[in-house]
Amino acid sequence: MIVGVDVGTSVTKAQLIARDGRTSPAHEARSTLYTLPGNRVEQDMDEVIGTVVTVVRAAVADAAQLDPNEPIEALALTGQGDGLWLRDADGRPVGRALSWMDGRAAPVLDKWAADGTARQVYRRTGAGMFPGAAGPLLAHLAEHEPERLAAADVAGYCVDAIAQRFTGERTVDASDASVPFLDVARRTYDDEALQLCGLGRWRGLLAEPAPPGALFGLLPKVAAELGLPVGLPVSAGPFDIPACGFGSGLEQVGEGNLIIGTTLACQVLSDDPAPGAGDEAAGMILATPYEDRYLRVMPAMIGTAGLDWLLGMLGVRIEELDALLAQSPYGAAGVTALPFLSTSGERAPFVDARARGRLDGLSPLTGRADLVRALCEAVAYSARHCLETLGVAGAITACGGGARSGEWGRIFAGVLGRDVHVREDAVGIRGAARVAWRALGADSADSAVGGSLEGGRVARADDAAVAFYEDGYHRYLDTLERARQTW
């Protein structure tokens, strides 16, 4: 069996996955997200690593109950991507980690958008940058806190920060390294992209991507702390978006996956590493653990976070969501929304730090159900916008907290015009475990652990909903185009 760990932005989870795909109960531990003036969002690396220790120890204690005859064969890590996790040569933090939600580098990105830098980098690496991406954050620190960069040995991400502490390895998964400076086809950094961003002198802070199938050994002190054998293989990646895609069952080129979580991450499996040819320098192309397979990703900033905000404003519990959605008709009785409710604006399928949300069409007859349905429909429209931009051509799976809602799932299916295959059980951990099993040479376990279109729940696309939302989607695009001219 494998101990799978998913380090989210505020919650870390761990559970065991057996070779036949069975799982133990999930254990969780929360970490602090520091929201500070100047659109700064930070995390304490030591606290985050402490949550990993807590949940791994709890998961290991379940091994006898899951299968007393199957040993623990590896520790598989996945977690949040982007941001900037600076460490010294011993893997200790150089200041707090800068979250992917951090907005301090928005002026850097505005400058790069105006002078063409962002577009030039996108053409080279296929990485559309946003304020919380490593490139703008590095440039911000180079200008305002160069002493922090000088004190650091590595500028990495969440998963490789944990891997370094647990194994002593200075490494990074190619999926994390893909944004924004990696040539994903060659799995090497594009030095010209670094020079375009004025970051050539800091090239040494970027750890070299680990080759596919890389495993690292657990250090003795850490092994004792976790209750695991010394030298146990550790798989470090991919990060959570691709892990969820593969854990949901992405197999064929053209298939898509929606992660309806705090953010709305949309991805499509591709065999083409070339950057997109569209006008928007948005989204990203990720290297994957699989030969000649890449993920084209549009990670919109807001998914369930916007809904949580609205439900809180209305005094509605999340448990009431399905009942509320069922009370409002298609089109939310004339109420429409734009779902851009992040202080950092939007990053997919366009990048604009000024993007803001809207509710239109209100009247004295508008009820809470209409407001909630309008926002849920808008998030679904955003998902279609992203997936169409990515070129989805096959089946679509969905996972994340929002996918648990049957009514919202039906909205997504209606807007997308096709059935949506819903996965609800630890898809990120399953994706990380699939990579670990393959690295261990256990192909049968890899197959059993991975998702499949044959399992799970299906949100059906109702013909009437599909017809209604086809018009609604084009109205949404028109409203968005006008809004972008006024932000």
Side-chain angles (χ1 to χ4, degrees):
M1 66 186 76
I2 281 178
V3 185
V5 183
D6 187 350
V7 187
T9 304
S10 56
V11 178
T12 300
K13 301 177 183 179
Q15 62 191 131
L16 298 171
I17 298 186
R19 279 182 172 245
D20 60 7
R22 290 178 300 117
T23 61
S24 66
H27 297 274
E28 300 184 358
R30 300 192 68 86
S31 53
T32 307
L33 200 64
Y34 296 92
T35 302
L36 306 165
N39 289 330
R40 295 178 297 155
V41 184
E42 301 175 349
Q43 291 193 270
D44 184 302
M45 185 187 302
D46 289 333
E47 181 191 37
V48 172
I49 291 173
T51 67
V52 177
V53 172
T54 297
V55 296
V56 169
R57 286 178 61 89
V60 169
D62 293 334
Q65 285 73 34
L66 183 61
D67 191 333
N69 298 314
E70 185 175 332
I72 294 175
E73 298 179 71
L75 174 65
L77 303 174
T78 186
Q80 59 180 297
D82 297 306
L84 195 65
W85 296 60
L86 295 171
R87 290 109 64 186
D88 64 18
D90 296 320
R92 299 295 172 184
V94 180
R96 281 182 183 158
L98 279 58
S99 168
W100 62 269
M101 300 174 68
D102 195 282
R104 75 187 71 188
V108 172
L109 200 61
D110 286 343
K111 176 179 178 295
W112 287 353
D115 66 15
T117 297
R119 183 65 190 171
Q120 291 182 71
V121 171
Y122 179 76
R123 286 174 175 165
R124 297 191 67 86
T125 68
M129 292 183 285
F130 65 101
L137 290 173
L138 277 168
H140 175 88
L141 292 182
E143 180 180 356
H144 299 285
E145 298 181 68
E147 67 281 0
R148 282 188 66 182
L149 297 186
D153 178 70
V154 60
Y157 307 88
C158 176
V159 174
D160 52 271
I162 298 164
Q164 185 176 13
R165 192 71 66 85
F166 282 9
T167 71
E169 297 287 342
R170 186 186 191 272
T171 186
V172 65
D173 187 78
S175 62
D176 265 318
S178 296
V179 185
F181 300 124
L182 196 71
D183 179 328
V184 297
R186 295 169 52 233
R187 292 179 181 260
T188 58
Y189 293 110
D190 186 309
D191 289 333
E192 179 63 24
L194 281 156
Q195 294 293 343
L196 285 167
C197 294
L199 294 169
R201 66 169 293 200
W202 303 109
R203 165 67 176 82
L205 293 179
L206 304 181
E208 294 301 320
L215 295 169
F216 311 104
L218 202 60
L219 294 170
K221 182 177 179 181
V222 178
E225 193 173 14
L226 297 177
L228 290 169
V230 175
L232 183 79
V234 177
S235 174
F239 76 89
D240 54 5
I241 291 178
C244 284
F246 292 121
S248 293
L250 284 181
E251 293 282 357
Q252 302 299 320
V253 169
E255 289 180 345
N257 171 248
L258 288 172
I259 306 172
I260 314 169
T262 301
T263 59
L264 177 71
C266 308
Q267 55 189 327
V268 173
L269 192 63
S270 175
D271 57 4
D272 182 6
D279 294 331
E280 301 279 1
M284 56 189 73
I285 301 172
L286 303 180
T288 78
Y290 306 107
E291 186 177 358
D292 298 327
R293 289 295 180 265
Y294 308 90
L295 283 169
R296 294 186 175 274
V297 183
M298 289 281 178
M301 289 296 290
I302 288 295
T304 59
L307 177 62
D308 290 342
W309 167 82
L310 181 59
L311 294 179
M313 292 283 286
L314 298 175
V316 175
R317 295 178 297 110
I318 189 64
E319 292 80 10
E320 302 174 70
L321 175 60
D322 276 8
L324 270 179
L325 291 176
Q327 292 170 24
S328 184
Y330 302 149
V335 181
T336 61
L338 292 180
F340 312 118
L341 293 166
S342 168
T343 56
S344 298
E346 187 50 277
R347 59 177 174 172
F350 61 91
V351 178
D352 193 332
R354 300 164 298 178
R356 291 296 180 266
R358 280 172 40 176
L359 284 166
D360 294 317
L362 306 180
S363 79
L365 299 179
T366 299
R368 295 187 304 173
D370 301 321
L371 297 175
V372 172
R373 187 176 188 97
L375 185 58
C376 287
E377 289 178 344
V379 172
Y381 288 142
S382 177
R384 176 171 169 179
H385 194 186
C386 289
L387 286 171
E388 287 189 348
T389 303
L390 293 168
V392 68
I396 296 175
T397 58
C399 58
R404 299 190 183 101
S405 166
E407 289 295 330
W408 203 2
R410 282 185 278 276
I411 290 174
F412 275 101
V415 169
L416 295 171
R418 68 186 80 191
D419 293 348
V420 176
H421 302 263
V422 179
R423 302 285 176 266
E424 296 182 358
D425 64 331
V427 289
I429 286 176
R430 284 187 177 276
R434 285 190 70 178
V435 173
W437 284 127
R438 178 164 293 197
L440 290 168
D443 292 337
S444 60
D446 168 19
S447 177
V449 167
S452 165
L453 295 182
E454 302 304 319
R457 176 168 54 84
V458 179
R460 301 292 180 186
D462 176 80
D463 290 343
V466 171
F468 180 90
Y469 287 128
E470 184 65 26
D471 290 337
Y473 175 60
H474 292 289
R475 290 194 298 270
Y476 165 85
L477 293 180
D478 290 341
T479 301
L480 173 59
E481 183 61 31
R482 292 193 298 271
R484 292 188 66 182
Q485 297 171 19
T486 62
W487 285 328

